[in-house]
Amino acid sequence: MTTSSPIEQAGGATATYVDKRLGSNKFLSRNLAKVFPDHWSFMLGEIALYSFIVVLLTGVFLTLFFKPSMLEVVYDGSYVPLQGVKMSEAYASSLDISFDVRGGLLLRQMHHWGALIFVAAMAVHMFRVFFTGAFRKPREFNWLIGVGLTVLALGAGFSGYSLPDDLLSGTGLQIARGIMQATPVIGTWMAFLLFGGEFPGTSFIPMLYSVHILLIPGLILALVTVHLMLVWVQKHTQFPGPGRTNDNVVGYPLMPVYMAKAGGFFFVVFGIIALIGGLVTINPIWVFGPFTPDQVSAGSQPDWYIGFLDGALRIMPNWETVIFGWTISWNIMIPAMIMPGILFTAIALYPFIESWVTGDKREHNLLDRPRNAPTRTGIGVMSIVFYCLLWVGGANDIIAVAFDLSINAITWFLRVAIFVLPPIAFVVTKRACLGLQRRDREKLLHGFESGRVLRLPHGEFIEVHQPLSPKDLAVITSKTDIVPLPAPERTDADGVRNKLYRIQALRHRLSTFFYGDNVPKPSAAEIEAGQHHAAHDAAIEAPLHDYEDADQIHTFHGGVLHHPGMEETNAQQIADRSHD
Amino acid sequence: MTDLSPHQPPAPPGSIPHADVEHRLRVTDTDPKTAKRAERQVASMFLLSVLFTILFVVSYIGIDKTATIYIPVMGEVGALQIALGFTLGAAIFLIGAGAIQWAKKLMPDVEVVQQRHDQVSPEADTLDAAGQYERGKEESGFARYRMIRRTLIAAMALFPIPLVIMLRDLWVPTPDEVGKSPADILSTTLWHDGLRIVSDGTYRPVRPEDLPVGGLISGVPADLLEVEEIQGNLNARGKAAIILIRMDPADIRSQQGDGWDYQGILAFSKICTHVGCPIALYEQRTHHLLCPCHQSTFDLADSGEVVFGPAARRMPQLPIGVDEEGFIVARSDFAEPIGPSFWERG
Amino acid sequence: MKFLAARRRSPIVASALLIGALAVVGLGYAAVGSVQPAQAAVGTETQVEAGRQLYLEGCSSCHGLEAQGTGNAPTLVGVGAAAVSFQVGTGRMPLAAPGAQAPGNMPTYTDEEVAALAAYIATLAPGPAIPSAEQLDYADADIALGGELFRINCAQCHQAAGQGGALTQGKYAPNLMESTPQHIYEAMLTGPQSMPVFSDAQLTVEDKQAIIAYVRTLQTEASPGGLTLGKFGPVTEGVFLATAAFGALIAAAVWIGIKAR
């Protein structure tokens, strides 16, 4: 054995051994220092990832004890009020996990809480990505994968909710069967094949089990892997700030800071889920009793993420038509199939719709402030209001009891509100965003109002305007003014009819709807003048305080005015758009 | 802007350019005592984690699984569950908290910068890829061999059929079901003329005098317990479950059939016509029946018609009478399919 | 006692004393309550007369001088002593204010007065009597059977854990967590307000005892999984998730994002 080269020594024995087989050092050299921007809202996706891992780990444990069988047994475990009761093996083994496997209840509760957190974290992560415009080019594919993951997570959650075969989960399946049966043409056959005949049958829980522990988690794992690889390859977006441009990424290196923070956060999320799973009851299956199709409990609800579907079913009017002897159940199809279909399709296609409407085809690595995209922000808030109203519908009986209201009144309120409140939310949000834009413009033109009033030697009163801090200036000037697409001509200069007129006119209208109201950012010269004026104010006041501060303000404001985003002119943008 | 970092990294290998951002020194950067304290803080978190893991094992062995403990706010709770949950949670949480504290206090907090590049490939690569593709297409002859192309498409289109066909036997009809479509099966229940109604749970037959005005009984067919299904009798139960109610005959405004009641006793299906939840929320004053799942409300004094909610169809009524021994019996099966609507229902 | 005397002013001790006093009163009440039915079932003449007086003063303005009912309230002829004991004993009657339904409340009448009223109403026409002590003795009842009967007959309105649920137009099935065995029995027997009647022929005394035993289990059993969140099911779990659970996770994320000083 010859002595190793200095390079090999530097690499270390193990790394060298692996590198000679995999060429891994090239990867390490490129990626150990990979920079990740730091912001609390970038952790939301991590919460989803980590809670998924917790759910996988606890789920593996549960499979060791759970029996996915609908065969009837007589319970003889240690929970007295159910001893001697006939039930399915699935429910009996869930009770055993809860009462006779030490730590079993803890892991079952961690699994369930973890699943709720998983879906919630995905939803909130999606809000963050939506409102900051992080889905824009080049990240549209990752948005699509995210939407796919959300749908899979709903499936994972519902299939898990249905497995213990207690009265609550069975009621959920009974409703699912009813919805399935309402599908035109193939409904009854679909229900009979999936349930192996009549409801409840004996085959659905075993089938659901393999979907829940194999199919869906496998797909989620595959998609999560691609999702993370794309984040890695495309690098994370960042919020605007000093030194941050569309072409760089500012943050902390993977090794060691990000590794410690992200790795540490995994344990924090894991620990919080364990604490909640240990201290807070979720789904006390023993109080619901075994499932039979002729019993029900008041207040039967799905877990939160299915609540919007249940709410839609509740507030839907009872429309059904019979045509040529065929029954079409609008009262089920609209809330349970058509509405969620449209909702998720719209979510999936949103990045493409927005880019088509606005004609914006540039790469975006610097995040939007929600106020700078008022229409998008309005659409987002509108959708959330819509979703939350359905959610209220899903809990209307609990709300009625808790607040002494009538379920009929709540249902009627929602039947109206679902059409009225979301548009109001849109208008209010858009107005609020435009108001914030105007305030930003004021800040750029006059600095921020310090609230201090000075009397000048000649008797004039002024309010001191301070120049913005470098951070504020960078953040506010990160706004890029986008001009709505121009109105098309019906005929061109030679009098030839414009065949694309209608579609172009539509785009013009939508684009105006998107950007027409935006408050234009002041020009670089105006900003300089404004900040200079503010600095002047501060300088007037300076003698009363100290000179050093005033000096500092001057130097900062010189440095920041050359923010890269600011040089972009509207003409250049339009050129970019026509180019793509 | 000047970089104020105290640790100016050495030469090229392993270095990253610092971002053009103002950087403030932390107390731990300037005060060795504070840095030492932070170090001890992190180490003690890891040490506590070790302690909690040990406590977990001790709890697992030492606490009986049926033991309970009173905890303020929570009330009487399972002692083992609380002990395991708290120790496990604390042990894991502290590892994370320690690591994060380590990163925040002791690892460098200078922001660094990397350049991004557009995702688009260099032109040469694009041209080469296009060339490769064209060459491959040409060499395969996909465009030339029309017969191969078409037969391949046909083969590819057909080969999934076996996979779909094999799903058919997810439902293997029972001997009773052979030759019937799902819609046929959904349209019949166990009920027939002369079959006694028994009270669910106690399986006692019911006499009219057992049921006072304002009364409610969840009923099932008398022969339900003889039904042998692999999971008990849940399929039959899910279709045959009924409720028996009694109201002042003067309150009955209409029925689904003439004289389907017996002295004010009415029998209705228990399965909601919306999506199939069992319903027995019967308000004896209003004669309304409310579904707890989606709040469809049926007026049982008025043929079970829908008065509120998403259900489109009335609740099917079961005609009843009394047999020679004086017990309540069904007089036929339901006249219409019970439960949720389906395509073939009409 | 010196210890207590020295610290009587401290709020903790004060509340402890208060709780102790309440417990004594409550136990006494429970003891009296369980003796009550035997007396009420008999109904001496003086008791009936006292009940009539109470009726005329407190009830007749709505239910009519002969308890025949008026436009405002139903007849009480034939409702039986059990109905009076339930309605007045749970404070539902006299009605505090008109509403979708009469809510349970602090009883207005003492146990003796309730017994007298019940005895008087029982003389008007035969009706369900107040259950006897033997009827209420659920010590040997079959809890598992009680659970099944509860899920078949009660859970659809009162919820599987007895937490209550919504009915139509603002009416509701009340929470059962504070209900006494006697009141549970009487409610089944008489079907107060929206609730259907479950006669002794349909649910026998043993069945009712089993149901009471199960409800008592629901009231008293320890929570194996920790904090119960009210046992309302997924809605309160969702609220906890959105507030406390997610609050903790976001707080951790923000903590990571904040620069150390």
Side-chain angles (χ1 to χ4, degrees):
Chain A
M1 186 103 182
T2 55
T3 49
S4 50
S5 70
I7 297 291
E8 284 175 10
Q9 275 173 3
T14 313
T16 305
Y17 180 87
V18 176
D19 184 51
K20 283 185 174 165
R21 283 149 187 85
L22 301 175
S24 49
N25 285 350
K26 204 164 98 188
F27 176 81
L28 293 180
S29 125
R30 250 189 297 158
N31 289 308
L32 279 183
K34 192 168 184 71
V35 173
F36 284 88
D38 211 14
H39 190 269
W40 70 267
S41 71
F42 297 164
M43 305 268 175
L44 296 169
E46 282 182 37
I47 297 178
L49 176 68
Y50 300 150
S51 52
F52 178 63
I53 295 172
V54 174
V55 169
L56 277 187
L57 291 175
T58 51
V60 168
F61 178 90
L62 293 176
T63 61
L64 304 179
F65 298 95
F66 179 70
K67 297 188 186 74
S69 149
M70 294 169 94
L71 298 188
E72 192 170 82
V73 295
V74 174
Y75 179 69
D76 61 353
S78 59
Y79 184 63
V80 177
L82 286 172
Q83 279 168 1
V85 173
K86 288 179 185 166
M87 57 181 64
S88 67
E89 270 194 294
Y91 184 54
S93 61
S94 305
L95 289 173
D96 288 343
I97 290 172
S98 305
F99 292 103
D100 291 292
V101 175
R102 280 180 286 175
L105 182 57
L106 170 63
L107 286 159
R108 220 199 87 222
Q109 295 196 152
M110 282 174 69
H111 190 71
H112 204 146
W113 279 121
L116 294 197
I117 289 170
F118 173 49
V119 191
M122 288 176 91
V124 182
H125 173 56
M126 196 179 225
F127 294 159
R128 200 280 294 166
V129 169
F130 182 85
F131 286 115
T132 58
F135 56 79
R136 291 173 297 174
K137 188 183 170 191
R139 295 181 179 80
E140 301 97 323
F141 292 161
N142 233 10
W143 172 264
L144 282 180
I145 293 172
V147 175
L149 280 167
T150 311
V151 175
L152 284 171
L154 297 188
F158 186 73
S159 59
Y161 170 91
S162 303
L163 283 180
D165 206 22
D166 58 313
L167 190 52
L168 190 61
S169 76
T171 303
L173 281 185
Q174 202 158 11
I175 294 170
R177 201 278 310 237
I179 292 170
M180 223 181 268
Q181 207 172 285
T183 312
V185 189
I186 55 167
T188 50
W189 274 94
M190 206 159 81
F192 266 64
L193 292 182
L194 284 175
F195 285 88
E198 291 193 82
F199 182 81
T202 50
S203 53
F204 197 63
I205 283 186
M207 190 192 296
L208 208 58
Y209 184 63
S210 57
V211 169
H212 180 74
I213 69 158
L214 179 72
L215 191 60
I216 294 182
L219 286 172
I220 291 180
L221 262 182
L223 283 184
V224 163
T225 311
V226 179
H227 200 68
L228 294 178
M229 280 167 63
L230 286 184
V231 172
W232 197 277
V233 169
Q234 295 176 333
K235 296 196 172 81
H236 206 288
T237 51
Q238 60 190 351
F239 279 106
R244 299 176 186 183
T245 71
N246 205 33
D247 302 317
N248 72 5
V249 51
V250 173
Y252 296 105
L254 175 71
M255 176 99 174
V257 175
Y258 188 73
M259 224 178 237
K261 282 188 173 181
F265 194 45
F266 166 69
F267 285 96
V268 165
V269 172
F270 197 164
I272 289 176
I273 292 175
L275 284 170
I276 294 173
L279 304 180
V280 188
T281 306
I282 188 164
N283 197 18
I285 50 166
W286 52 91
V287 303
F288 296 112
F291 174 67
T292 102
D294 61 342
Q295 291 174 11
V296 74
S297 164
S300 286
Q301 320 278 355
D303 275 342
W304 77 265
Y305 43 81
I306 304 287
F308 80 106
L309 281 179
D310 211 41
L313 274 169
R314 287 175 187 210
I315 67 173
M316 182 70 199
N318 63 341
W319 300 341
E320 183 178 283
T321 44
V322 177
I323 301 172
F324 307 124
W326 308 120
T327 304
I328 304 172
S329 303
W330 301 111
N331 56 343
I332 299 169
M333 282 165 58
I334 290 176
M337 300 172 206
I338 298 173
M339 183 278 292
I342 291 175
L343 186 69
F344 280 97
T345 310
I347 293 173
L349 295 183
Y350 186 82
F352 308 98
I353 297 172
E354 188 188 295
S355 121
W356 181 78
V357 166
T358 61
D360 184 352
K361 300 284 193 295
R362 293 164 300 160
E363 276 200 16
H364 292 280
N365 298 314
L366 213 49
L367 294 171
D368 264 344
R369 305 173 79 204
R371 69 185 63 173
N372 290 339
T375 305
R376 179 202 299 145
T377 307
I379 290 173
V381 173
M382 180 175 85
S383 311
I384 292 174
V385 168
F386 176 79
Y387 183 92
C388 287
L389 285 172
L390 291 181
W391 218 16
V392 170
N396 63 358
D397 47 344
I398 303 287
I399 292 171
V401 171
F403 300 103
D404 212 3
L405 298 168
S406 150
I407 39 174
N408 306 65
I410 298 176
T411 303
W412 269 110
F413 166 77
L414 290 171
R415 282 175 177 175
V416 177
I418 200 79
F419 294 104
V420 175
L421 291 188
I424 291 178
F426 174 82
V427 173
V428 169
T429 309
K430 189 168 177 181
R431 290 291 128 199
C433 287
L434 291 172
L436 288 170
Q437 283 191 14
R438 245 170 258 124
R439 211 175 70 181
D440 284 349
R441 185 183 155 89
E442 287 302 305
K443 278 189 192 169
L444 284 181
L445 286 178
H446 307 298
F448 77 92
E449 293 168 4
S450 64
R452 278 174 298 179
V453 176
L454 274 191
R455 190 179 166 199
L456 297 183
H458 55 273
E460 186 192 348
F461 284 95
I462 59 159
E463 185 182 2
V464 176
H465 284 242
Q466 294 273 29
L468 296 173
S469 73
K471 182 157 183 274
D472 287 346
L473 203 51
V475 169
I476 295 178
T477 53
S478 73
K479 174 174 182 242
T480 49
D481 281 340
I482 296 182
V483 178
L485 294 170
E489 301 288 335
R490 278 184 191 279
T491 51
D492 67 12
D494 302 331
V496 179
R497 209 169 63 81
N498 180 359
K499 283 179 188 163
L500 296 174
Y501 176 76
R502 285 183 152 209
I503 198 97
Q504 285 175 354
L506 175 69
R507 273 183 88 180
H508 162 68
R509 274 201 303 278
L510 287 173
S511 165
T512 309
F513 172 65
F514 249 80
Y515 290 118
D517 299 332
N518 265 14
V519 179
K521 194 169 67 174
S523 70
E526 282 173 322
I527 296 172
E528 181 139 26
Q531 295 297 315
H532 188 79
H533 182 72
H536 179 66
D537 273 5
I540 292 171
E541 195 198 12
L544 302 173
H545 297 276
D546 62 271
Y547 286 94
E548 271 176 57
D549 268 2
D551 280 355
Q552 199 119 32
I553 290 159
H554 273 290
T555 48
F556 277 155
H557 114 253
V560 174
L561 276 177
H562 298 285
H563 188 272
M566 286 179 40
E567 306 302 330
E568 242 164 351
T569 63
N570 295 340
Q572 181 59 43
Q573 285 171 33
I574 290 170
D576 281 351
R577 279 184 266 172
S578 53
H579 168 78
D580 214 311
Chain B
M1 210 163 297
T2 50
D3 175 40
L4 304 174
S5 162
H7 338 277
Q8 201 56 256
S15 70
I16 338 166
H18 288 180
D20 184 15
V21 190
E22 186 198 11
H23 175 246
R24 277 211 185 91
L25 289 179
R26 296 166 296 188
V27 190
T28 42
D29 292 325
T30 51
D31 178 16
K33 257 191 201 159
T34 319
K36 191 72 194 165
R37 199 182 317 137
E39 185 190 339
R40 276 199 296 266
Q41 200 182 33
V42 172
S44 55
M45 284 190 198
F46 291 152
L47 194 66
L48 268 177
S49 168
V50 171
L51 184 73
F52 276 115
T53 304
I54 295 168
L55 278 177
F56 179 93
V57 177
V58 171
S59 310
Y60 187 90
I61 298 168
I63 300 178
D64 188 82
K65 67 186 176 195
T66 57
T68 61
I69 182 173
Y70 179 82
I71 295 178
V73 182
M74 301 174 109
E76 197 74 21
V77 289
L80 180 64
Q81 157 79 6
I82 298 292
L84 294 185
F86 185 75
T87 51
L88 180 70
I92 298 172
F93 182 89
L94 285 166
I95 296 176
I100 292 166
Q101 193 71 340
W102 181 5
K104 285 179 61 157
K105 292 261 165 111
L106 296 171
M107 294 180 190
D109 76 334
V110 185
E111 287 200 287
V112 293
V113 63
Q114 259 174 359
Q115 293 309 303
R116 296 176 191 268
H117 310 282
D118 271 7
Q119 300 300 328
V120 67
S121 305
E123 267 176 34
D125 288 355
T126 305
L127 289 175
D128 187 51
Q132 299 285 4
Y133 176 76
E134 281 306 321
R135 180 189 52 74
K137 201 169 112 185
E138 189 52 39
E139 285 174 0
S140 75
F142 193 76
R144 272 193 317 262
Y145 304 128
R146 213 170 62 175
M147 202 159 35
I148 291 184
R149 197 168 70 230
R150 290 187 174 174
T151 48
L152 174 65
I153 291 170
M156 294 295 282
L158 292 191
F159 100 90
I161 288 177
L163 303 181
V164 177
I165 285 185
M166 280 191 293
L167 294 177
R168 168 60 188 86
D169 278 357
L170 279 173
W171 169 41
V172 180
T174 62
D176 291 347
E177 291 173 342
V178 171
K180 292 180 184 165
S181 73
D184 296 338
I185 296 166
L186 288 172
S187 304
T188 56
T189 73
L190 283 183
W191 294 110
H192 57 78
D193 187 22
L195 182 57
R196 277 184 187 165
I197 295 169
V198 297
S199 190
D200 193 9
T202 60
Y203 304 103
R204 285 192 290 264
V206 185
R207 290 176 190 277
E209 54 271 29
D210 296 345
L211 188 58
V213 169
L216 162 76
I217 291 179
S218 285
V220 291
D223 61 1
L224 181 67
L225 293 185
E226 291 151 35
V227 174
E228 288 289 324
E229 290 166 5
I230 197 161
Q231 87 287 30
N233 45 38
L234 297 187
N235 291 358
R237 193 180 266 278
K239 286 196 303 186
I242 59 161
I243 55 166
L244 274 179
I245 54 153
R246 184 170 203 159
M247 60 182 82
D248 184 340
D251 286 353
I252 301 177
R253 297 205 297 285
S254 72
Q255 294 190 59
Q256 292 177 17
D258 263 349
W260 279 14
D261 71 320
Y262 181 81
Q263 295 174 357
I265 299 177
L266 299 160
F268 284 94
S269 166
K270 199 180 184 182
I271 308 301
C272 186
T273 60
H274 178 220
V275 284
C277 285
I279 320 185
L281 281 77
Y282 173 60
E283 300 178 0
Q284 57 123 328
R285 291 270 176 86
T286 59
H287 310 308
H288 284 174
L289 186 67
L290 168 73
C291 180
C293 294
H294 306 101
Q295 284 102 39
S296 299
T297 311
F298 305 86
D299 188 350
L300 300 191
D302 186 17
S303 306
E305 291 295 343
V306 179
V307 290
F308 187 77
R313 288 182 298 105
R314 64 184 184 179
M315 198 52 116
Q317 188 181 356
L318 186 72
I320 55 164
V322 164
D323 65 9
E324 54 274 22
E325 287 174 63
F327 292 108
I328 300 176
V329 293
R331 297 212 324 254
S332 73
D333 197 354
F334 289 101
E336 54 195 276
I338 60 98
S341 287
F342 48 91
W343 176 251
E344 302 94 325
R345 188 182 179 280
Chain C
M1 286 318 280
K2 231 181 199 171
F3 172 80
L4 275 183
R7 287 165 178 75
R8 195 173 289 157
R9 293 245 170 77
S10 120
I12 295 171
V13 174
S15 49
L17 284 174
L18 189 64
I19 289 167
L22 280 175
V24 170
V25 172
L27 283 173
Y29 177 79
V32 172
S34 61
V35 176
Q36 206 68 55
Q39 297 173 346
V42 184
T44 63
E45 266 180 49
T46 47
Q47 206 180 13
V48 170
E49 183 48 35
R52 202 177 81 85
Q53 285 306 322
L54 286 168
Y55 177 84
L56 291 174
E57 287 161 19
C59 320
S60 61
S61 57
C62 296
H63 290 286
L65 288 172
E66 305 295 323
Q68 76 280 20
T70 69
N72 294 333
T75 174
L76 300 182
V77 176
V79 299
V84 178
S85 168
F86 178 84
Q87 298 283 0
V88 185
T90 59
R92 285 178 165 76
M93 292 292 147
L95 192 60
Q101 78 184 50
N105 222 326
M106 282 296 286
T108 316
Y109 293 95
T110 65
D111 293 338
E112 288 75 30
E113 289 168 336
V114 174
L117 272 172
Y120 166 65
I121 294 296
T123 62
L124 299 178
I130 294 174
S132 67
E134 300 93 82
Q135 283 175 313
L136 293 177
D137 180 13
Y138 58 88
D140 300 325
D142 180 348
I143 294 179
L145 172 69
E148 277 200 89
L149 293 175
F150 184 86
R151 287 188 290 274
I152 291 169
N153 295 297
C154 319
Q156 71 266 21
C157 302
H158 292 285
Q159 200 250 9
Q163 299 298 316
L167 302 177
T168 65
Q169 309 291 354
K171 298 189 287 294
Y172 57 91
N175 183 311
L176 303 178
M177 288 304 100
E178 305 295 328
S179 302
T180 63
Q182 185 189 337
H183 291 149
I184 296 168
Y185 199 110
E186 289 165 352
M188 288 191 275
L189 208 53
T190 63
Q193 308 196 27
S194 296
M195 179 166 163
V197 182
F198 297 91
S199 71
D200 277 348
Q202 174 199 349
L203 289 176
T204 61
V205 175
E206 290 77 43
D207 295 340
K208 287 197 172 76
Q209 287 168 344
I211 289 174
I212 289 170
Y214 185 70
V215 175
R216 293 294 294 162
T217 308
L218 288 177
Q219 289 173 347
T220 55
E221 74 177 348
S223 167
L227 199 65
T228 61
L229 300 179
K231 295 191 201 164
F232 283 115
V235 172
T236 41
E237 288 160 9
V239 171
F240 179 85
L241 168 84
T243 51
F246 229 73
L249 291 166
I250 301 281
V254 171
W255 173 57
I256 295 174
I258 294 173
K259 277 185 191 285
R261 278 179 301 123

